[in-house]
mmCIF file of all heavy atoms in Angstrom:
data_model
loop_
_atom_site.group_PDB
_atom_site.id
_atom_site.type_symbol
_atom_site.label_atom_id
_atom_site.label_comp_id
_atom_site.label_asym_id
_atom_site.label_seq_id
_atom_site.Cartn_x
_atom_site.Cartn_y
_atom_site.Cartn_z
ATOM 1 N N LEU B 719 11.620 11.473 27.381
ATOM 2 C CA LEU B 719 13.051 11.452 26.849
ATOM 3 C C LEU B 719 13.195 11.402 25.405
ATOM 4 O O LEU B 719 14.132 11.933 24.800
ATOM 5 C CB LEU B 719 13.872 10.292 27.425
ATOM 6 C CG LEU B 719 13.910 10.178 28.989
ATOM 7 C CD1 LEU B 719 14.664 8.920 29.387
ATOM 8 C CD2 LEU B 719 14.686 11.356 29.568
ATOM 9 N N CYS B 720 12.181 10.885 24.674
ATOM 10 C CA CYS B 720 12.396 10.517 23.286
ATOM 11 C C CYS B 720 11.818 11.691 22.440
ATOM 12 O O CYS B 720 10.690 12.030 22.492
ATOM 13 C CB CYS B 720 11.573 9.250 22.982
ATOM 14 S SG CYS B 720 12.178 7.872 23.838
ATOM 15 N N THR B 721 12.815 12.181 21.609
ATOM 16 C CA THR B 721 12.405 13.222 20.607
ATOM 17 C C THR B 721 12.024 12.660 19.296
ATOM 18 O O THR B 721 11.593 13.395 18.417
ATOM 19 C CB THR B 721 13.533 14.280 20.511
ATOM 20 O OG1 THR B 721 14.813 13.525 20.106
ATOM 21 C CG2 THR B 721 13.776 15.031 21.772
ATOM 22 N N ALA B 722 12.440 11.458 19.105
ATOM 23 C CA ALA B 722 12.165 10.802 17.815
ATOM 24 C C ALA B 722 11.521 9.422 18.035
ATOM 25 O O ALA B 722 11.848 8.759 19.041
ATOM 26 C CB ALA B 722 13.329 10.647 16.949
ATOM 27 N N MET B 723 10.803 8.882 17.036
ATOM 28 C CA MET B 723 10.122 7.589 17.144
ATOM 29 C C MET B 723 10.294 6.796 15.807
ATOM 30 O O MET B 723 10.066 7.445 14.806
ATOM 31 C CB MET B 723 8.718 7.695 17.522
ATOM 32 C CG MET B 723 7.863 6.444 17.479
ATOM 33 S SD MET B 723 6.199 6.663 18.178
ATOM 34 C CE MET B 723 5.513 7.901 17.068
ATOM 35 N N VAL B 724 10.627 5.566 15.941
ATOM 36 C CA VAL B 724 10.523 4.660 14.721
ATOM 37 C C VAL B 724 9.246 3.988 14.804
ATOM 38 O O VAL B 724 8.891 3.286 15.742
ATOM 39 C CB VAL B 724 11.720 3.660 14.643
ATOM 40 C CG1 VAL B 724 11.469 2.628 13.556
ATOM 41 C CG2 VAL B 724 13.034 4.388 14.583
ATOM 42 N N VAL B 725 8.428 4.102 13.755
ATOM 43 C CA VAL B 725 7.002 3.566 13.721
ATOM 44 C C VAL B 725 6.737 3.002 12.397
ATOM 45 O O VAL B 725 7.579 2.979 11.503
ATOM 46 C CB VAL B 725 6.047 4.793 14.150
ATOM 47 C CG1 VAL B 725 5.982 5.794 13.015
ATOM 48 C CG2 VAL B 725 4.701 4.225 14.559
ATOM 49 N N ASN B 726 5.494 2.530 12.211
ATOM 50 C CA ASN B 726 5.126 1.779 10.994
ATOM 51 C C ASN B 726 3.624 2.001 10.836
ATOM 52 O O ASN B 726 2.872 2.368 11.860
ATOM 53 C CB ASN B 726 5.478 0.376 11.138
ATOM 54 C CG ASN B 726 5.096 -0.435 9.895
ATOM 55 O OD1 ASN B 726 3.905 -0.811 9.668
ATOM 56 N ND2 ASN B 726 6.070 -0.805 9.085
ATOM 57 N N GLY B 727 3.110 1.832 9.612
ATOM 58 C CA GLY B 727 1.759 2.163 9.318
ATOM 59 C C GLY B 727 0.770 1.221 10.069
ATOM 60 O O GLY B 727 -0.452 1.459 10.173
ATOM 61 N N HIS B 728 1.254 0.115 10.709
ATOM 62 C CA HIS B 728 0.394 -0.742 11.508
ATOM 63 C C HIS B 728 0.166 -0.233 12.960
ATOM 64 O O HIS B 728 -0.573 -0.819 13.633
ATOM 65 C CB HIS B 728 1.044 -2.101 11.554
ATOM 66 C CG HIS B 728 1.121 -2.770 10.215
ATOM 67 N ND1 HIS B 728 0.017 -3.193 9.416
ATOM 68 C CD2 HIS B 728 2.255 -3.084 9.460
ATOM 69 C CE1 HIS B 728 0.421 -3.650 8.274
ATOM 70 N NE2 HIS B 728 1.731 -3.698 8.339
ATOM 71 N N VAL B 729 0.846 0.806 13.263
ATOM 72 C CA VAL B 729 0.747 1.344 14.710
ATOM 73 C C VAL B 729 -0.145 2.503 14.761
ATOM 74 O O VAL B 729 -0.141 3.364 13.881
ATOM 75 C CB VAL B 729 2.173 1.762 15.183
ATOM 76 C CG1 VAL B 729 2.094 2.374 16.556
ATOM 77 C CG2 VAL B 729 3.163 0.615 15.141
ATOM 78 N N THR B 730 -1.033 2.528 15.748
ATOM 79 C CA THR B 730 -1.993 3.661 15.932
ATOM 80 C C THR B 730 -1.261 4.759 16.733
ATOM 81 O O THR B 730 -0.758 4.457 17.819
ATOM 82 C CB THR B 730 -3.199 3.155 16.771
ATOM 83 O OG1 THR B 730 -3.929 2.119 15.944
ATOM 84 C CG2 THR B 730 -4.086 4.417 17.033
ATOM 85 N N VAL B 731 -1.197 5.982 16.096
ATOM 86 C CA VAL B 731 -0.556 7.074 16.763
ATOM 87 C C VAL B 731 -1.679 8.122 16.850
ATOM 88 O O VAL B 731 -2.039 8.871 15.940
ATOM 89 C CB VAL B 731 0.561 7.635 15.919
ATOM 90 C CG1 VAL B 731 1.238 8.835 16.640
ATOM 91 C CG2 VAL B 731 1.709 6.638 15.681
ATOM 92 N N ASP B 732 -2.275 8.144 18.096
ATOM 93 C CA ASP B 732 -3.392 8.979 18.355
ATOM 94 C C ASP B 732 -3.050 9.983 19.395
ATOM 95 O O ASP B 732 -1.930 9.959 19.977
ATOM 96 C CB ASP B 732 -4.632 8.213 18.633
ATOM 97 C CG ASP B 732 -4.437 7.169 19.820
ATOM 98 O OD1 ASP B 732 -3.382 7.295 20.564
ATOM 99 O OD2 ASP B 732 -5.271 6.320 20.050
ATOM 100 N N ARG B 733 -4.041 10.658 19.852
ATOM 101 C CA ARG B 733 -3.779 11.649 20.938
ATOM 102 C C ARG B 733 -3.327 11.104 22.247
ATOM 103 O O ARG B 733 -2.458 11.550 22.949
ATOM 104 C CB ARG B 733 -5.010 12.517 21.170
ATOM 105 C CG ARG B 733 -5.370 13.448 20.017
ATOM 106 C CD ARG B 733 -6.437 14.409 20.309
ATOM 107 N NE ARG B 733 -6.796 15.267 19.195
ATOM 108 C CZ ARG B 733 -7.552 16.312 19.281
ATOM 109 N NH1 ARG B 733 -8.007 16.748 20.502
ATOM 110 N NH2 ARG B 733 -7.821 17.083 18.161
ATOM 111 N N ALA B 734 -3.897 9.912 22.475
ATOM 112 C CA ALA B 734 -3.518 9.178 23.827
ATOM 113 C C ALA B 734 -2.097 8.910 23.873
ATOM 114 O O ALA B 734 -1.390 9.023 24.838
ATOM 115 C CB ALA B 734 -4.395 8.021 23.966
ATOM 116 N N LEU B 735 -1.495 8.368 22.694
ATOM 117 C CA LEU B 735 -0.128 8.022 22.654
ATOM 118 C C LEU B 735 0.688 9.308 22.623
ATOM 119 O O LEU B 735 1.691 9.414 23.360
ATOM 120 C CB LEU B 735 0.215 7.124 21.447
ATOM 121 C CG LEU B 735 1.623 6.893 21.147
ATOM 122 C CD1 LEU B 735 2.195 6.117 22.371
ATOM 123 C CD2 LEU B 735 1.866 6.084 19.849
ATOM 124 N N LEU B 736 0.244 10.292 21.813
ATOM 125 C CA LEU B 736 1.117 11.562 21.719
ATOM 126 C C LEU B 736 1.138 12.301 23.076
ATOM 127 O O LEU B 736 2.155 12.886 23.432
ATOM 128 C CB LEU B 736 0.476 12.456 20.670
ATOM 129 C CG LEU B 736 0.551 11.974 19.255
ATOM 130 C CD1 LEU B 736 -0.253 12.814 18.329
ATOM 131 C CD2 LEU B 736 2.001 11.797 18.775
ATOM 132 N N ASP B 737 0.147 12.169 23.876
ATOM 133 C CA ASP B 737 0.152 12.747 25.211
ATOM 134 C C ASP B 737 1.274 12.189 26.074
ATOM 135 O O ASP B 737 1.720 12.932 26.988
ATOM 136 C CB ASP B 737 -1.256 12.561 25.911
ATOM 137 C CG ASP B 737 -2.310 13.528 25.417
ATOM 138 O OD1 ASP B 737 -1.985 14.428 24.686
ATOM 139 O OD2 ASP B 737 -3.543 13.260 25.692
ATOM 140 N N ARG B 738 1.624 10.951 25.841
ATOM 141 C CA ARG B 738 2.614 10.342 26.658
ATOM 142 C C ARG B 738 4.065 10.525 26.033
ATOM 143 O O ARG B 738 5.058 9.968 26.570
ATOM 144 C CB ARG B 738 2.420 8.873 26.748
ATOM 145 C CG ARG B 738 1.003 8.666 27.385
ATOM 146 C CD ARG B 738 0.724 7.159 27.751
ATOM 147 N NE ARG B 738 1.519 6.726 28.917
ATOM 148 C CZ ARG B 738 1.616 5.536 29.403
ATOM 149 N NH1 ARG B 738 0.839 4.514 28.847
ATOM 150 N NH2 ARG B 738 2.471 5.172 30.388
ATOM 151 N N LEU B 739 4.137 11.296 24.985
ATOM 152 C CA LEU B 739 5.371 11.605 24.275
ATOM 153 C C LEU B 739 5.530 13.042 24.131
ATOM 154 O O LEU B 739 5.694 13.636 23.058
ATOM 155 C CB LEU B 739 5.465 10.909 22.865
ATOM 156 C CG LEU B 739 5.324 9.395 22.884
ATOM 157 C CD1 LEU B 739 5.111 8.934 21.448
ATOM 158 C CD2 LEU B 739 6.498 8.718 23.511
ATOM 159 N N PRO B 740 5.715 13.821 25.245
ATOM 160 C CA PRO B 740 5.753 15.247 25.153
ATOM 161 C C PRO B 740 6.906 15.905 24.497
ATOM 162 O O PRO B 740 6.922 16.985 23.981
ATOM 163 C CB PRO B 740 5.684 15.639 26.688
ATOM 164 C CG PRO B 740 6.303 14.492 27.423
ATOM 165 C CD PRO B 740 5.837 13.245 26.636
ATOM 166 N N ALA B 741 7.984 15.050 24.381
ATOM 167 C CA ALA B 741 9.203 15.703 23.749
ATOM 168 C C ALA B 741 9.328 15.325 22.247
ATOM 169 O O ALA B 741 10.218 15.681 21.534
ATOM 170 C CB ALA B 741 10.500 15.066 24.400
ATOM 171 N N LEU B 742 8.358 14.489 21.755
ATOM 172 C CA LEU B 742 8.482 13.962 20.380
ATOM 173 C C LEU B 742 8.441 15.050 19.356
ATOM 174 O O LEU B 742 7.538 15.914 19.368
ATOM 175 C CB LEU B 742 7.286 12.926 20.136
ATOM 176 C CG LEU B 742 7.430 12.147 18.877
ATOM 177 C CD1 LEU B 742 8.584 11.178 18.885
ATOM 178 C CD2 LEU B 742 6.068 11.475 18.513
ATOM 179 N N ARG B 743 9.372 15.029 18.355
ATOM 180 C CA ARG B 743 9.360 15.925 17.260
ATOM 181 C C ARG B 743 9.504 15.343 15.901
ATOM 182 O O ARG B 743 9.336 15.939 14.839
ATOM 183 C CB ARG B 743 10.562 16.934 17.442
ATOM 184 C CG ARG B 743 10.373 17.816 18.609
ATOM 185 C CD ARG B 743 9.197 18.801 18.451
ATOM 186 N NE ARG B 743 8.926 19.692 19.595
ATOM 187 C CZ ARG B 743 8.050 19.301 20.496
ATOM 188 N NH1 ARG B 743 7.316 18.223 20.421
ATOM 189 N NH2 ARG B 743 7.788 20.147 21.541
ATOM 190 N N LEU B 744 9.822 13.997 15.907
ATOM 191 C CA LEU B 744 9.846 13.271 14.709
ATOM 192 C C LEU B 744 9.267 11.868 14.802
ATOM 193 O O LEU B 744 9.618 11.195 15.771
ATOM 194 C CB LEU B 744 11.336 13.113 14.232
ATOM 195 C CG LEU B 744 11.595 12.179 12.981
ATOM 196 C CD1 LEU B 744 10.981 12.919 11.720
ATOM 197 C CD2 LEU B 744 13.042 11.843 12.725
ATOM 198 N N ALA B 745 8.427 11.502 13.841
ATOM 199 C CA ALA B 745 8.000 10.098 13.718
ATOM 200 C C ALA B 745 8.515 9.560 12.443
ATOM 201 O O ALA B 745 7.939 10.046 11.334
ATOM 202 C CB ALA B 745 6.430 10.076 13.845
#
Side-chain angles (χ1 to χ4, degrees):
L719 301 175
C720 295
T721 55
M723 170 173 64
V724 174
V725 69
N726 181 281
H728 298 293
V729 177
T730 298
V731 180
D732 54 13
R733 293 189 181 195
L735 177 59
L736 294 173
D737 283 346
R738 303 189 69 182
L739 299 170
L742 189 69
R743 292 296 173 265
L744 174 71

